[in-house]
Amino acid sequence: MRGSRIRGLALAALVGAAVIALALPLLPVPLATALPGPGGARTVAPDGPDGPDTAPPACGDYLAGRFAQHEDDWGAAADFMAAALARDGDDLNLLRRTFLLFLGEGKLDRALPLASQVSQRDHDEPIPLVLLALDDALAGRWDQGLTRAAALADDGLNRYVKALLSAWLTVGKGDPATALTLLEPLATVPGLGVLHALHAARVAELAGNT
């Protein structure tokens, strides 16, 4: 029972850390073209070259998606970009944009497969790694999640994300003592001492070291 409780709390902490990470400006494209806007009216797809019942080619879908983004209709933008990607699957930038749009819309069922594709083609992309590590944790794949977390860079905001993900994935495995060690880099980062103390205290409590 205690092990289940610890894993449950680890998952809760991981979700919180991942939500913060996914909201941070770690994106490979400018924020103005990647993050969801305040919302807007649903954009109507333009007619294809042969009339309203004909799907536009990849270029048409892409341009329609960019227009939908400009109009703050992120759901339509994601759908148009996905249609363009289906016609031009080799375009990594298009793959990234489509992934970020579905993620911004909260459509994780569409974003996760794209995250895997982005990560396979560009191992340094942090946002797909964070999302995939969270999915691993939710499925109990603690070691696989730790492998993804280890691939995150050690600079910038990644230092915070990497330490938290690694520590709480390790808690999920049932090793809070090692998790405390993984949290230690946070204590040396100016401004993150309080975060280190908060998470370290919670892990120590779970380990029974209160």
Side-chain angles (χ1 to χ4, degrees):
M1 180 65 70
R2 178 175 172 80
S4 297
R5 178 173 175 268
I6 289 176
R7 285 191 290 273
L9 290 170
L11 279 173
L14 275 167
V15 169
V19 167
I20 293 171
L22 295 173
L24 293 175
L26 300 174
L27 307 181
V29 294
L31 287 175
T33 60
L35 290 176
R42 192 73 180 173
T43 303
V44 178
D47 292 345
D50 300 321
D53 295 328
T54 303
C59 183
D61 284 319
Y62 175 79
L63 293 175
R66 291 303 300 268
F67 177 75
Q69 258 186 288
H70 180 73
E71 294 295 303
D72 288 332
D73 189 350
W74 300 89
D79 290 338
F80 282 127
M81 292 300 179
L85 185 64
R87 299 168 183 268
D88 189 5
D90 293 331
D91 190 326
L92 180 56
N93 287 329
L94 179 59
L95 176 62
R96 287 194 190 103
R97 184 180 294 275
T98 307
F99 159 66
L100 290 169
L101 284 167
F102 278 124
L103 180 61
E105 277 290 288
K107 296 180 179 178
L108 298 186
D109 59 324
R110 302 291 301 275
L112 275 167
L114 298 176
S116 181
Q117 293 179 46
V118 173
S119 186
Q120 289 172 8
R121 295 172 62 180
D122 189 341
H123 306 297
D124 296 327
E125 291 281 1
I127 299 298
L129 285 172
V130 171
L131 183 62
L132 291 168
L134 177 59
D135 185 58
D136 288 332
L138 293 172
R141 300 186 296 266
W142 306 106
D143 287 326
Q144 188 167 334
L146 281 166
T147 298
R148 297 191 202 278
L152 290 167
D154 293 310
D155 57 358
L157 293 171
N158 284 332
R159 291 181 297 178
Y160 161 72
V161 176
K162 183 174 185 175
L164 279 187
L165 287 179
S166 298
W168 283 106
L169 283 162
T170 302
V171 171
K173 282 186 63 178
D175 188 1
T178 299
L180 286 171
T181 301
L182 293 170
L183 283 172
E184 288 178 359
L186 290 179
T188 64
V189 180
L192 294 185
V194 173
L195 283 172
H196 169 265
L198 175 65
H199 286 271
R202 194 70 182 107
V203 172
E205 180 184 1
L206 291 173
N209 300 327
T210 55

